[in-house]
């Protein structure tokens, strides 16, 4: 309940002989559930929830072919992380906040009336706006929070400990910005699921932090959107991954 996991399947396994890993084990006659692989092959994974959420399209690439056939073409390519986008929909471009409508949705040499969650598309807008990689096209009636300061839960993945005040890079969807871990609030004791005071996070530690970025990001809570609510922390000098984070509500 503390982890907010409503559905848990427990599978006893002994990996030495592969008991209940691929096939059900004869060594555990008291267990009549599925083996791990059997469960993974049958478990239901659905995009329906993501499709019901507001549209989010992080812009990965701006397409301007400058060809004789289409000299004025300007499209914004990316993968729709949630929701549905339709031609004629009202949208907002973040972080600028400019409002416009979807003029067309292109895929290769065809056009679609709508795009759905997980689909890679190129969107054309009714107005010629200044949109670049790292911007986000979102549903006008439900926009994410645009902010330069946010709280998050971070899992630290580096041998070099995290220190409050540390300068890093934050990669959020297709946008990478300079940032600072301003405050380390606490560290999670994973054995007791209790928060405890700490002045550092070490390898595999999980803690609650406040991050401040040099440029604003368009954020949803991780509980609402696993793409726009997630980010990774990079080393400012080398670009190596230091940690992974989830934006708090």
């Amino acid at each position: 309940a503390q982890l907010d996991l409503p559905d848990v399947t427990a599978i006893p396994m002994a990996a030495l002989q592969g008991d209940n890993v691929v096939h059900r084990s004869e060594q555990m006659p008291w267990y009549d559930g599925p083996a791990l692989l059997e469960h993974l092959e049958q478990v239901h994974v659905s995009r329906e929830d993501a499709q019901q959420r507001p549209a989010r399209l992080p812009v990965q690439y701006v397409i301007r072919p400058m060809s004789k056939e289409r000299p004025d073409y300007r499209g914004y390519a990316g993968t729709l992380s949630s929701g549905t986008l339709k031609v004629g929909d009202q949208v907002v471009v973040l972080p600028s906040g400019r409002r416009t409508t979807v003029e067309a949705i292109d895929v290769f040499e065809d056009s679609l009336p709508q795009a759905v969650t997980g689909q890679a598309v190129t969107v054309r807008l009714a107005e010629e706006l200044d949109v670049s990689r790292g911007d986000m096209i979102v549903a006008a009636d439900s926009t994410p929070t645009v902010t330069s300061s946010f709280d998050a839960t971070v899992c630290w993945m580096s041998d070099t400990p995290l220190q409050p005040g540390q300068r890093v890079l934050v990669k959020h969807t297709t946008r990478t910005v300079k940032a600072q871990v301003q405050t380390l609030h606490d560290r999670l004791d994973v054995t007791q699921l209790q928060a405890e005071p700490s002045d550092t996070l070490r390898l595999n530690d999980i803690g609650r932090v406040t991050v401040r970025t040099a440029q604003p990001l368009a954020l949803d809570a991780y509980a609402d959107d696993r793409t726009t609510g997630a980010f990774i922390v990079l080393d400012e000098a080398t670009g190596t991954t230091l940690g992974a984070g989830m934006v708090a509500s």
Side-chain angles (χ1 to χ4, degrees), residues 62 64 72-76 88-93 96-104 123-132 137 140:
V62 179
R64 297 197 68 188
D72 299 324
Y73 186 95
R74 185 193 291 255
Y76 307 105
D89 278 357
Q90 290 276 330
V91 293
V92 173
V93 178
S96 69
R98 297 289 300 275
R99 182 182 291 257
T100 183
T101 58
V102 176
E103 184 178 72
V123 171
R124 285 182 280 147
L125 303 176
E127 281 80 26
E128 190 171 315
L129 305 180
D130 184 14
V131 182
S132 59
I137 299 171

Side-chain angles (χ1 to χ4, degrees), residues 213-232:
T213 57
Q215 297 169 296
L217 299 175
L219 303 173
D220 289 296
Y222 183 80
D224 296 330
D225 193 305
R226 293 189 177 188
T227 299
T228 55
F231 62 93
I232 60 175

Side-chain angles (χ1 to χ4, degrees), residues 97-237:
R98 297 289 300 275
R99 182 182 291 257
T100 183
T101 58
V102 176
E103 184 178 72
I105 300 172
D106 300 330
V107 287
F108 192 46
E109 295 181 347
D110 197 8
S111 292
L112 302 175
Q114 71 173 24
V116 298
T117 300
Q119 195 167 15
V121 294
T122 299
V123 171
R124 285 182 280 147
L125 303 176
E127 281 80 26
E128 190 171 315
L129 305 180
D130 184 14
V131 182
S132 59
R133 174 181 169 86
D135 290 352
M136 192 181 300
I137 299 171
V138 305
D141 58 354
S142 184
T143 61
T145 301
V146 179
T147 181
S148 297
S149 181
F150 58 94
D151 291 341
T153 299
V154 170
C155 178
W156 201 245
M157 301 177 178
S158 172
D159 290 324
T160 304
L162 167 68
Q163 304 289 347
Q166 186 170 340
R167 296 188 181 279
V168 295
L169 297 177
V170 165
K171 186 179 187 305
H172 173 256
T173 62
T174 56
R175 190 177 187 87
T176 302
V177 297
K178 292 183 178 181
Q180 183 182 41
V181 181
Q182 284 195 314
T183 308
L184 172 57
H185 298 285
D186 48 52
R187 170 188 168 277
L188 180 67
D189 180 346
V190 295
T191 61
Q192 302 294 326
L193 292 183
Q194 297 286 336
E196 58 184 22
S198 179
D199 56 3
T200 187
L201 287 184
R202 301 186 182 279
L203 178 65
N204 293 331
D205 277 350
I206 298 172
R208 197 165 50 90
V209 300
T210 296
V211 179
R212 185 165 188 84
T213 57
Q215 297 169 296
L217 299 175
L219 303 173
D220 289 296
Y222 183 80
D224 296 330
D225 193 305
R226 293 189 177 188
T227 299
T228 55
F231 62 93
I232 60 175
V233 182
L234 306 174
D235 185 273
E236 192 175 27

